[in-house]
Amino acid sequence: HTLLTITDDDSEVTAAIAETLAQTDPSRTLPVEFVVAFGREIDPATFTIDDIVQAGTATGITWNLTTSDNTTFVLGATAIEGDGTLIPTLAANRVTDVFGNPNLAAVASDNEVTYDSTSPTVQIVKAPTQDTPTNTLPVEFLVAFSEAIDPTTFTASDIAQAGDATVDTWTVTNSGDDTNFTVRATAVTTDPIELTTIAPALAADAVTDEAGNGNDAVSGPDTGVEFNDNDLTVTVSRQLGQAAIVAAAPAVFKVVFNKSIVPASFTADDISNRGTVSDGDLTWTITNTDGGDFKLFEITATGIASDGTVNPQIAVDLVEDAAGNLNLVSTDSGDNTVLMDATAPTVTIEQAATADVTQQDPTNDPLITFIITFSEAINPSTFSTVDIEQTTGAGFATGISWNL
């Protein structure tokens, strides 16, 4: 603010206009006050509010004039309809002193005050380069106010989280114009499995503009950023009902991810066999079994061209979830091995010749012992005495009872 120094003139009356020493600029409160100082006492009847011309942008102003000495007047704007600048002016020959001498045009000395009674509005959007979903911090948003604010009133503590993630740390960066800011979530605690949303919000009156008006509330961006940075795990097991030993394909397994994956990222090429059947002898097909949630899958091995074991595994960093997290190497859930055995066992039957029993031939002992040898282990429930046939014909015994 500037003190006014007025020099008397014997013929014409000097005048000057300035805001009062106590007047804040910008201001949101009324009245907005100016000092109109004349070089000598004037005839107060010649000085009315009609002599004041508003040269600023504020509209609908109601002025008021008061004086105690007819030399220095306080000009107050007591009502303002439209925000903007107040610049009162006084033209020449509008006022006379007691002798009828007219005034000179008022000299302006810091006679402009911005009146701002409007709360700043605010918009929050995710930054153009910000992916969603994501597994990467920081997560970045742009905050735009409708006017310059007092930047000291906007801090990380003003940011509220409207999403379901827990944001442990926010940062606020001013672009330099006190209107546009970047808000970043730099530390987040999220659900171990599901995507959670980061959506910064700002309560009403958390921030003020330069005139002291508090901001309008904003609940957050229309669409927040989905975030999850936890490991993608996967287990493999034999599908329910899948026998551990089979004579022919297929061999069916269950694959369980701990969270939804991007289905296009899971292909047959991601499956390798830790068993003895060569990968080249296996053909894998993948079927989603949870109706599109993309956590549960069935993988089926067909085209098995050789005997051996099938034990599927998904190596690390091959499958991704929606946030971009890559899988850990798969683990087994129980026994997930299937033995493929398409070779029929051979069998030999010979007279017993062991350390315990040596079958005499010929013999008159009705207990006759044979040794039956299979080329591989069989399913014992499939072998009984009804499967043994006695050679028939002349010279062959009849009425034989067998015991195994």
Side-chain angles (χ1 to χ4, degrees):
H1 303 289
T2 304
L3 288 174
L4 303 177
T5 302
I6 304 300
T7 303
D8 290 343
D9 188 297
D10 290 337
S11 57
E12 295 176 304
V13 183
T14 57
I17 301 177
E19 62 186 67
T20 64
L21 292 176
Q23 179 59 56
T24 59
D25 183 20
S27 176
R28 67 188 182 97
T29 58
L30 294 173
V32 176
E33 293 185 327
F34 300 85
V35 173
V36 181
F38 294 97
R40 56 181 177 269
E41 184 178 351
I42 65 164
D43 178 358
T46 66
F47 185 29
T48 69
I49 58 173
D50 292 335
D51 299 316
I52 300 298
V53 176
Q54 152 70 332
T57 58
T59 59
I61 302 172
T62 300
W63 297 106
N64 180 59
L65 278 170
T66 59
T67 184
S68 60
D69 59 9
N70 295 333
T71 300
T72 301
F73 291 75
V74 175
L75 173 65
T78 58
I80 302 173
E81 294 179 1
D83 291 356
T85 55
L86 280 77
I87 308 175
T89 63
L90 177 63
N93 302 319
R94 299 291 300 183
V95 180
T96 64
D97 63 12
V98 293
F99 302 105
N101 297 304
N103 71 290
L104 296 171
V107 176
S109 176
D110 195 12
N111 71 324
E112 179 177 338
V113 174
T114 298
Y115 179 72
D116 179 6
S117 62
T118 303
S119 295
T121 60
V122 58
Q123 182 182 40
I124 302 177
V125 297
K126 70 180 182 68
T129 57
Q130 178 62 60
D131 292 329
T132 183
T134 185
N135 63 347
T136 303
L137 291 173
V139 174
E140 190 169 292
F141 300 86
L142 302 182
V143 179
F145 293 93
S146 57
E147 60 179 303
I149 64 164
D150 178 355
T152 64
T153 67
F154 186 26
T155 66
S157 63
D158 298 316
I159 302 296
Q161 158 65 331
D164 53 3
T166 299
V167 178
D168 303 305
T169 306
W170 294 101
T171 63
V172 176
T173 304
N174 190 346
S175 69
D177 62 3
D178 297 341
T179 300
N180 297 286
F181 295 77
T182 300
V183 169
R184 296 178 178 90
T186 59
V188 178
T189 301
T190 188
D191 186 275
I193 296 177
E194 302 298 336
L195 287 168
T196 52
T197 302
I198 300 172
L202 195 61
D205 299 327
V207 178
T208 64
D209 63 16
E210 295 173 345
N213 298 296
N215 66 284
D216 290 341
V218 60
S219 59
D222 292 337
T223 302
V225 172
E226 293 182 309
F227 179 80
N228 187 292
D229 63 353
N230 290 295
D231 291 332
L232 175 63
T233 63
V234 54
T235 59
V236 181
S237 62
R238 286 201 308 264
Q239 185 61 282
L240 183 67
Q242 173 61 57
I245 303 174
V246 295
V252 185
F253 301 84
K254 180 171 69 173
V255 176
V256 180
F257 294 93
N258 67 324
K259 46 187 171 178
S260 298
I261 67 164
V262 177
S265 71
F266 184 27
T267 69
D269 292 337
D270 301 324
I271 305 168
S272 59
N273 183 32
R274 291 177 297 174
T276 59
V277 175
S278 169
D279 281 320
D281 290 336
L282 293 171
T283 299
W284 292 101
T285 58
I286 300 174
T287 304
N288 177 236
T289 57
D290 59 10
D293 196 27
F294 300 119
K295 294 179 182 178
L296 304 180
F297 293 82
E298 184 175 271
I299 59 174
T300 303
T302 58
I304 303 173
S306 60
D307 289 356
T309 54
V310 180
N311 187 323
Q313 182 183 56
I314 301 169
V316 67
D317 294 344
L318 295 177
V319 183
E320 66 177 299
D321 65 17
N325 300 295
L326 295 174
N327 68 287
L328 301 178
V329 65
S330 65
T331 58
D332 296 343
S333 178
D335 184 0
N336 73 327
T337 299
V338 173
L339 172 62
M340 180 64 58
D341 182 3
T343 303
T346 60
V347 57
T348 59
I349 303 176
E350 299 176 312
Q351 295 176 12
T354 68
D356 296 326
V357 177
T358 300
Q359 179 60 53
Q360 299 299 315
D361 185 19
T363 183
N364 62 356
D365 187 345
L367 179 61
I368 300 172
T369 303
F370 295 89
I371 300 297
I372 301 175
T373 304
F374 293 94
S375 59
E376 60 180 304
I378 66 166
N379 182 353
S381 66
T382 66
F383 185 35
S384 68
T385 56
V386 299
D387 298 313
I388 300 173
E389 296 180 352
Q390 160 66 348
T391 304
T392 59
F396 290 97
T398 60
I400 300 173
S401 296
W402 298 102
N403 181 53
L404 287 171

